Amino acid sequence: MKKYLTGLLLFFYFASYSQGTDQTLSFSIKQAVDYAFEHQMDVLNAQLDADIAKTQAKEIIGMGLPQLSASFDIKDYVEIPTSLIPAEFFGGEPGTYQAIKFGTRYNATAGVSASQLIFEPSYIVGLQAARTIKELSRKNVDRTKIETAAAVTKAYYMVLLMNDRRQVLEANVSRLQKYSSDVKAMYENGFVEQIDVDRIQVAFNNITSEKENFNRIVKTLEDALKFQMGLSPQSQIVLTDSLDKQAIKNITISLDKADPEKRIEYSLLKTQEQLQEYNIKRYKAQYFPSIVAYGSLNANAQRSKFNFFDNSYRWYPIGLIGATLSINLFDGFTREAKINHEQLSLRKIKNQLTSFSNGVELQVASSRSTLANALTSLNSQEKNLQLAENVNRTTKIKYDQGIGSNLELLNSETSLKEAQSNYFNALYDALIAKIDVDKALGNFKY
């Protein structure tokens, strides 16, 4: 029975371990982005910053609410304090003193105190700033999500492209393997020389090695995608979306006007500007007085014995209420220096806003130009690929008919591989350029 339970526990352990490390998950682009929003560390930390800002706002609000405290203090005077009293009070010589111990050994004080902020201009400014801090942290979450979504989307497209390229590469391997078999058969029948066999074999060995290297590259890119998503490297993923090459070819270049206010970066700078203005107001508000009301109720007991909880002995109450008006008359020009410091920081933010606004139009124009070039290159590379395929097909027919050399066949294979590589690179460049245009215009959707 004991062996059975041990075996059962081991089974569940390894079953749960394998599910946690080798699980296979399927993702569309949207699902991959949504998963990243919930697991990617940058997004999680940005959300934590937003939660921290909420708690800071509650801290500031709490400063303006009534402050209550209670205390209970017990003292045991092992040696009762001694006071010196003029001796003449007791008939002694003038100018001399009599040492007398006053008080009881045990003393206790219990009390409740309260305070309330009545007027504090900097507190009012702090409340306004707290709301702005929450808004700033929320916008930072949005900015982080945009950057994460763009990174995940680009990595997803790269893996899709590499998977398509791998299929093409495998077709090339199969074709060269067939060429190699055909040439060996022709050599055995005396139709070609050994050098023809060797050339084909060298080309086949090279493309086989290239396939192995390519598989390692695809694995690295998949790991990069998982990292961008916040997914465990041990997990296996399946990409359910596919590349619509015709849709990529038909991408249109947006003619929307460059508007910096649509960009999250501009919104963040504007919020920082508002927060900086509150900082200036906060220091200026310190020139005004503040008023705090307070009150306390205490009870005091003095005993020769430790019997504070004996109801037959009295506690003596002390109660008071009051208010404090505070005015800072002179602080060595510290506040003035702080105000000047914050005003200079405000000017820097305004300069950043101006620079960003001027840069957005340039960024949009540059990204549009890049996309236009990428689409032109894609169209050209697609035609080159078609030509390379036709040349390769024609060369193979000529070779099979005995009117072409295997050197021409291998050259056509090399040209075809180069055309395939250029075509897939152009596809990726077009996809990335489209994302960059949308980001520059503030139209990137996630």
Side-chain angles (χ1 to χ4, degrees):
M1 183 66 178
K2 184 176 180 181
K3 291 183 179 179
Y4 172 77
L5 290 176
T6 303
L8 189 62
L9 289 173
L10 288 173
F11 170 78
F12 282 116
Y13 170 78
F14 286 112
S16 62
Y17 179 82
S18 62
Q19 289 176 1
T21 58
D22 297 326
Q23 57 181 329
T24 299
L25 302 173
S26 300
F27 294 99
S28 64
I29 292 180
K30 184 180 183 307
Q31 289 171 336
V33 171
D34 290 341
Y35 187 92
F37 287 168
E38 295 180 1
H39 299 87
Q40 217 277 343
M41 287 302 168
D42 290 339
V43 179
L44 294 179
N45 285 337
Q47 187 60 58
L48 286 174
D49 287 338
D51 294 339
I52 290 171
K54 292 179 182 178
T55 60
Q56 289 175 336
K58 292 180 180 179
E59 290 175 10
I60 295 174
I61 293 172
M63 293 170 59
L65 298 177
Q67 308 294 308
L68 301 174
S69 63
S71 63
F72 185 79
D73 177 71
I74 295 179
K75 292 182 177 65
D76 180 356
Y77 289 102
V78 179
E79 289 291 339
I80 298 175
T82 301
S83 300
L84 295 178
I85 306 297
E88 59 184 313
F89 289 174
F90 306 98
E93 296 181 5
T96 62
Y97 294 90
Q98 177 69 40
I100 299 177
K101 291 186 177 183
F102 280 106
T104 58
R105 177 175 178 177
Y106 299 104
N107 290 265
T109 303
V112 177
S113 61
S115 64
Q116 173 62 57
L117 191 65
I118 302 299
F119 179 74
E120 175 57 79
S122 60
Y123 172 74
I124 299 173
V125 177
L127 289 177
Q128 297 171 329
R131 290 193 292 268
T132 305
I133 291 174
K134 288 197 297 183
E135 182 182 358
L136 181 66
S137 62
R138 180 184 57 78
K139 290 180 179 179
N140 187 57
V141 172
D142 292 341
R143 180 192 63 81
T144 305
K145 284 186 174 182
I146 290 174
E147 295 298 330
T148 300
V152 170
T153 303
K154 290 179 180 181
Y156 193 102
Y157 282 145
M158 174 58 83
V159 175
L160 285 181
L161 279 166
M162 296 302 279
N163 283 333
D164 281 7
R165 285 188 65 177
R166 178 161 52 186
Q167 293 177 6
V168 172
L169 181 59
E170 289 173 351
N172 292 344
V173 172
S174 299
R175 189 168 59 253
L176 271 177
Q177 187 174 27
K178 185 176 185 307
Y179 290 169
S180 179
S181 299
D182 292 346
V183 171
K184 287 179 180 178
M186 294 173 68
Y187 171 74
E188 292 172 356
N189 291 308
F191 292 108
V192 297
E193 301 177 359
Q194 179 66 43
I195 191 173
D196 296 322
V197 176
D198 292 342
R199 282 176 183 149
I200 292 290
Q201 188 62 43
V202 168
F204 178 73
N205 292 342
N206 287 339
I207 199 169
T208 301
S209 177
E210 180 182 346
K211 176 184 175 182
E212 293 175 355
N213 293 337
F214 195 87
N215 288 335
R216 286 190 285 269
I217 293 173
V218 173
K219 176 64 169 60
T220 301
L221 293 173
E222 287 181 349
D223 289 342
L225 172 59
K226 287 184 280 188
F227 174 79
Q228 295 291 352
M229 293 170 57
L231 188 64
S232 169
Q234 287 76 29
S235 298
Q236 303 299 317
I237 60 174
V238 175
L239 308 187
T240 58
D241 282 346
S242 59
L243 287 175
D244 188 343
K245 298 180 178 64
Q246 188 60 38
I248 299 172
K249 181 181 176 182
N250 294 333
I251 288 175
T252 57
I253 302 175
S254 174
L255 298 178
D256 291 351
K257 182 180 178 181
D259 183 4
E261 294 186 7
K262 293 176 66 177
R263 295 281 295 272
I264 187 64
E265 297 93 335
Y266 183 88
S267 181
L268 278 166
L269 284 172
K270 289 295 290 183
T271 306
Q272 290 175 3
E273 179 187 37
Q274 185 179 8
L275 190 60
Q276 195 62 33
E277 290 173 347
Y278 283 136
N279 267 341
I280 295 172
K281 288 182 179 180
R282 178 167 61 91
Y283 286 120
K284 287 183 176 180
Q286 292 177 2
Y287 284 106
F288 294 94
S290 63
I291 302 174
V292 177
Y294 60 88
S296 65
L297 178 63
N298 297 291
N300 180 264
Q302 299 179 1
R303 303 282 193 270
S304 298
K305 296 181 180 180
F306 194 88
N307 55 0
F308 295 111
F309 305 103
D310 189 341
N311 294 331
S312 61
Y313 292 88
R314 289 189 58 189
W315 285 71
Y316 300 95
I318 303 172
L320 66 88
I321 57 173
T324 300
L325 173 67
S326 299
I327 304 176
N328 193 330
L329 298 178
F330 181 70
D331 62 357
F333 304 108
T334 301
R335 277 173 299 183
E336 183 179 356
K338 289 180 178 179
I339 291 172
N340 290 336
H341 177 96
E342 299 300 333
Q343 286 176 335
L344 291 173
S345 297
L346 179 60
R347 287 174 58 184
K348 283 182 61 178
I349 295 176
K350 290 183 180 294
N351 289 340
Q352 290 173 348
L353 277 167
T354 301
S355 176
F356 182 81
S357 298
N358 294 337
V360 166
E361 187 168 352
L362 176 62
Q363 188 178 5
V364 170
S366 176
S367 60
R368 280 175 175 160
S369 177
T370 301
L371 177 56
N373 292 338
L375 293 174
T376 300
S377 176
L378 176 59
N379 185 57
S380 175
Q381 296 302 332
E382 185 181 26
K383 292 179 181 178
N384 286 342
L385 178 60
Q386 293 172 355
L387 289 173
E389 289 173 344
N390 291 336
V391 169
N392 182 262
R393 185 166 49 253
T394 302
T395 303
K396 180 62 170 64
I397 292 173
K398 289 174 60 179
Y399 183 78
D400 290 341
Q401 293 176 350
I403 57 177
S405 68
N406 73 338
L407 186 59
E408 291 177 330
L409 182 62
L410 291 176
N411 286 339
S412 70
E413 281 291 329
T414 301
S415 298
L416 178 58
K417 284 201 307 179
E418 182 179 354
Q420 291 167 345
S421 177
N422 292 339
Y423 172 69
F424 280 107
N425 288 338
L427 275 175
Y428 182 73
D429 290 343
L431 284 169
I432 300 308
K434 178 64 168 62
I435 294 174
D436 291 340
V437 168
D438 290 339
K439 284 184 63 181
L441 290 169
N443 295 335
F444 184 72
K445 304 300 181 184
Y446 59 87

